[in-house]
Amino acid sequence: MSRRLPPLTAVRAFEAAARHLSFTRAADELHVTQAAISHQVKSLETWLGLPLFRRGSRALFLTEEGQSYLAVARDCLDRLAEGTGRLLMRDRAGRLTVSTFQSFAATWLVPRLGRFRAAHPDIDVWVAANDKIVDFNQEDVDCAIRYGAGGWPGVKAVRFMTESVFPVCSPKLLEGAHPLRAPQDLKHHTLLHDHMNEDWRMWLLAAGIDDVDPTRGPSFSHSSMVLQAAMNGQGVALGRSPLVRDAIAEGTLVQPFKFTLNAYHSYFFVCPEASAERPKIAAFRDWLFAEAERDGMRIKE
DNA sequence: CAATAATACTGATGCGTTGG
DNA sequence: CCAACGCATCAGTATTATTG
C-alpha cells in the first residue's frame, strides 16, 4: 500500500495548536518554542495547499478545513499513542491473553489453569473465549489455542494434542427400558448435536450403524451446552476426549461403549512468529504441553 | 507595554549517492 | 560493504511586526 502521509511532526504541532487555539500553549505542551509551532503549522499548510487557521489579532481560529482535519488528526494521534502504549506495556505487564474457543476454555483450559497460576504467580492469564479466528495484528491477544488442520499463514502453530470422539451420556441411560450397552442401542435414544453436524454421521458410519438417523435430535451452539444436556440425561452426546475427560473421571458422564473414532483435526498452540520465544508465552506453551502430556493426549510432531 | 504570530537565520542531523 | 560527501530537512533562537 502506498500512503500519502503529511509530515507527522507538523500534524502533531497542528493538533496541539488547534486544541489550545494558541501556538504558544501548544509550544509549552510540546516543549518547543512558539516559533517552532508556527513553522510546523505553516509547513503543513503549505504541504496541504490550504489554510488550517485564520490568524486574528491575538487570536487563532480554525478554518472549516482545519476543523475537520483536527478531528482526523486527533483520532489518529490518540490511536497511535494507545497502540504504542500497549506495545510497550505488553512485555512488562504480567498479563497473558489467551484466545480459544468457548467449549475448550470451559471444559479443559479453565479447570487446569490453577496449576499454571501456582507455577507462575507473576503471570495473570486472561482467557478470551470466542469462536472466531484471532487476528494478532488487530487484537490484543498474545496466543491462542485452535482446533483444526493447521497450516495457517503468518503464525507459528504447534500441534500439541489430538482427540478421539465417542458417545457419552449420563449414567442413568445405562439403565431403564433401553439400556445403552452397544452402538445398536442408540436408535432408542436422543442424539445431541453441536454445530459440527457431521460428527454423528461420521461416527455412526465408522461404527457400522446404519439404522440410526444422524440428523435427528436437538442442536446447541457450543459443545459445553451439549455436554450439559447429556449430563442431565437428555440424550447422548458425541464427546471429544479432552472435553469430557474430567466429567468421566467425576462420574457425571460415562462412555457406554468402547468404540472411538480418531478425530481428523488436532489442537494447536498458535502465536505470532515473532513472539514465540517471549518468556511468558513460552511459559504458557510449555505448561499447556505438559498438561496435555499429563492427560496422555500429547502428540509431538 | 505586553502578548502574540511571522520572518530570518543557524546549527545539527538524516539520507542518498558515489567511489574505493 | 563502507566511508565520505553534499544536500535537504528539522528544530531551534533571535528578532521583527502587529495589535489591544
Side-chain angles (χ1 to χ4, degrees):
Chain A
M1 197 204 302
S2 96
R3 287 198 168 99
R4 182 176 163 81
L5 291 177
L8 294 180
T9 49
V11 173
R12 188 163 171 242
F14 160 72
E15 193 269 341
R19 191 155 28 79
H20 292 296
L21 283 179
S22 157
F23 286 5
T24 305
R25 282 199 293 276
D28 283 346
E29 179 184 307
L30 299 179
H31 305 110
V32 294
T33 58
Q34 166 271 319
I37 301 291
S38 169
H39 259 318
Q40 295 293 345
V41 170
K42 185 95 211 163
S43 76
L44 182 60
E45 289 176 319
T46 306
W47 191 89
L48 291 169
L50 49 86
L52 296 166
F53 290 108
R54 230 163 12 87
R55 279 87 168 157
S57 52
R58 287 191 187 199
L60 205 55
F61 307 95
L62 279 165
T63 61
E64 211 167 297
E65 293 92 336
Q67 193 73 250
S68 64
Y69 202 52
L70 169 64
V72 176
R74 179 180 282 174
D75 182 51
C76 289
L77 294 176
D78 283 350
R79 285 169 58 184
L80 189 59
E82 189 195 318
T84 305
R86 272 218 309 260
L87 185 72
L88 294 175
M89 286 305 290
R90 206 181 262 181
D91 240 10
R92 250 179 294 150
R95 182 200 289 193
L96 179 79
T97 305
V98 182
S99 165
T100 190
F101 49 105
Q102 195 270 338
S103 308
F104 185 79
T107 54
W108 195 90
L109 183 61
V110 172
R112 284 162 178 72
L113 221 43
R115 283 199 286 272
F116 181 79
R117 174 105 196 123
H120 301 279
D122 52 321
I123 303 177
D124 292 326
V125 175
W126 285 48
V127 177
N130 59 59
D131 294 345
K132 64 179 177 11
I133 295 291
V134 62
D135 178 351
F136 291 112
N137 294 321
Q138 292 287 314
E139 292 158 67
D140 194 12
V141 168
D142 295 299
C143 59
I145 300 161
R146 291 288 140 188
Y147 181 72
W152 299 291
V155 295
K156 182 170 179 69
V158 184
R159 203 159 84 105
F160 73 98
M161 189 162 71
T162 188
E163 67 178 7
S164 54
V165 177
F166 48 83
V168 290
C169 62
S170 157
K172 279 184 286 185
L173 301 196
L174 300 181
E175 296 149 18
H178 299 286
L180 200 53
R181 301 215 173 97
Q184 290 76 14
D185 301 325
L186 283 171
K187 58 176 166 285
H188 304 295
H189 292 268
T190 304
L191 304 187
L192 304 171
H193 305 267
D194 64 13
H195 60 287
M196 311 274 278
N197 278 326
E198 287 297 281
D199 284 0
W200 267 115
R201 196 181 62 76
M202 301 281 280
W203 192 89
L204 291 166
L205 190 69
I209 307 297
D210 56 10
D211 60 347
V212 173
D213 180 355
T215 61
R216 71 194 167 87
S219 189
F220 303 85
S221 62
H222 292 108
S223 316
S224 54
M225 300 182 199
V226 180
L227 296 180
Q228 193 59 53
M231 286 175 198
N232 293 342
Q234 295 176 36
V236 186
L238 257 193
R240 309 176 158 276
S241 47
L243 306 189
V244 298
R245 186 193 160 82
D246 293 352
I248 289 176
E250 287 163 16
T252 50
L253 285 175
V254 293
Q255 181 181 356
F257 26 79
K258 281 274 167 281
F259 183 79
T260 67
L261 180 64
N262 286 326
Y264 183 63
H265 291 319
S266 317
Y267 292 83
F268 285 80
F269 172 79
V270 185
C271 69
E273 201 78 63
S275 54
E277 293 313 318
R278 291 222 316 252
K280 65 182 180 181
I281 294 181
F284 182 77
R285 181 195 55 210
D286 293 346
W287 170 82
L288 188 70
F289 292 177
E291 284 295 324
E293 187 95 56
R294 220 181 135 100
D295 286 359
M297 296 193 238
R298 170 95 166 96
I299 47 169
K300 289 170 183 166
E301 297 291 68

